[in-house]
């Protein structure tokens, strides 16, 4: 759903997990004001990663991307809040960390496009698809006190 209850799928990739950046990334989203509604550490099967990145399957870097994503567990999350998809992408920074602004997650912690720490949905439609793919068991529903204060 777009607007104040918009949801986005954010994933800490294997390099981010290995480097101990899960807490830092959670903290940034929490402090910004987003609400965590799902989270888990998972080692997905290859087919799930191929489905997640299906639109990139013809790219030359696709096999390397899948190998990288299979190199360790990922931390899968769903965050909810105002313009979560667009703002989440801004917080991640440009795909290639060499172009990511300082102050963004990639701009502060990454150097290479092939090791760029995190994923964020690029559209509301893709967010809903990705949430279904990564959290087929469903999402917890709860209210935060701050929700009544923000809007
Ligand atoms: P993501 O889906 O991971 O959030 O990244 P994105 O939308 O910013 O970028 P996208 O073009 O969808 O690329 C997905 C991931 O593929 C890897 N990549 N490698 N070697 C390369 O030239 C290259 N280009 C992209 C990155 O890990 C990128 O995040």
């Amino acid at each position: 759903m777009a607007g104040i209850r918009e949801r986005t799928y954010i994933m800490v990739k294997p390099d981010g997990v290995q480097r101990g950046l899960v807490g830092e990334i959670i903290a940034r989203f929490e402090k910004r004001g987003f609400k965590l509604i799902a989270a888990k550490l998972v080692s997905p099967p290859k087919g799930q990663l191929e489905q997640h990145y299906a639109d990139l399957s013809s790219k030359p870097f696709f096999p390397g991307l899948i190998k990288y994503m299979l190199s360790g567990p990922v931390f899968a999350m769903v965050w909810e809040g105002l313009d979560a998809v667009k703002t989440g992408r801004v917080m991640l920074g440009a795909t290639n960390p060499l172009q990511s602004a300082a102050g963004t997650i990639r701009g502060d912690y990454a150097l290479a496009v092939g090791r760029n720490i995190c994923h964020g949905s690029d559209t509301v439609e893709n967010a809903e698809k990705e949430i279904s793919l990564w959290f087929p068991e469903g999402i917890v529903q709860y209210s935060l006190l701050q929700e009544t204060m923000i809007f």
Side-chain angles (χ1 to χ4, degrees):
M1 190 198 305
I4 61 168
R5 298 242 175 274
E6 190 169 294
R7 305 187 306 174
T8 190
Y9 175 66
I10 301 290
M11 171 165 59
V12 185
K13 296 179 178 181
D15 53 333
V17 174
Q18 287 289 331
R19 291 177 55 194
L21 293 171
V22 170
E24 168 68 22
I25 293 170
I26 290 176
R28 286 185 179 220
F29 277 83
E30 278 190 325
K31 287 177 190 167
R32 187 72 191 259
F34 289 112
K35 175 179 166 186
L36 183 63
I37 55 172
K40 62 184 176 187
L41 189 69
V42 56
S43 292
K46 190 177 182 195
Q48 186 170 332
L49 291 164
E50 288 170 343
Q51 198 177 335
H52 176 83
Y53 281 123
D55 58 333
L56 300 175
S57 60
S58 60
K59 301 278 186 192
F61 60 80
F62 186 73
L65 172 61
I66 298 298
K67 197 173 166 200
Y68 156 50
M69 293 299 296
L70 282 169
S71 66
V74 299
F75 194 73
M77 298 175 277
V78 181
W79 289 92
E80 182 182 274
L82 189 63
D83 279 332
V85 170
K86 200 186 334 166
T87 304
R89 296 277 291 187
V90 171
M91 289 170 67
L92 262 51
T95 304
N96 186 341
L98 291 176
Q99 276 127 40
S100 308
T104 65
I105 293 166
R106 289 166 176 160
D108 288 348
Y109 298 112
L111 283 171
V113 70
R115 294 289 181 275
N116 63 356
I117 293 182
C118 47
H119 160 81
S121 308
D122 59 354
T123 63
V124 173
E125 191 189 356
N126 282 340
E128 292 302 322
K129 277 191 211 155
E130 291 169 4
I131 291 166
S132 301
L133 176 66
W134 289 89
F135 290 94
E137 68 272 27
I139 304 284
V140 174
Q141 300 292 332
Y142 68 103
S143 297
L144 289 182
L145 185 58
Q146 70 186 45
E147 284 172 347
T148 56
M149 301 188 310
I150 293 174
F151 305 112

